[in-house]
Amino acid sequence: MPAIIRAATIADLPRMVDLLLEDARQRHALNPTLWAIADDAHERVEEAVRFALEADKQPFRQKWLVAEGDDALAGLLL
């Protein structure tokens, strides 16, 4: 099944957080000083993405998209 790109929904939030933290861990492995990860990174990322998906009044407009294939999220776009 080919991948599709669609607007992210709140139901995508858990997998989006997982993908973002996976990326953070990969960057951290390359340069821990430059790409430090906070102890509460999961909570911070979840809060920020939830705000972007749900808030009516944001300081700037965000449009999160997800790449989905085989009924699983495979990537994110902002």
Side-chain angles (χ1 to χ4, degrees):
M1 175 180 181
I4 61 166
I5 306 295
R6 61 172 176 77
T9 67
I10 199 66
D12 299 318
L13 184 61
R15 182 66 179 136
M16 292 172 72
V17 172
D18 290 344
L19 287 170
L20 290 164
L21 291 175
E22 181 180 325
D23 179 64
R25 285 189 293 274
Q26 290 175 2
R27 292 172 187 263
H28 179 78
L30 293 173
N31 188 330
T33 302
L34 181 61
W35 298 103
I37 299 175
D39 291 337
D40 62 345
H42 187 278
E43 292 79 15
R44 288 182 184 198
V45 171
E46 183 174 347
E47 181 181 331
V49 177
R50 180 180 299 278
F51 181 80
L53 294 176
E54 293 184 329
D56 290 330
K57 295 190 180 203
Q58 300 178 21
F60 59 93
R61 181 156 169 74
Q62 300 179 54
K63 178 74 172 184
W64 283 88
L65 303 173
V66 293
E68 184 177 45
D70 296 328
D71 295 323
L73 292 188
L76 305 170
L77 302 148
L78 173 64

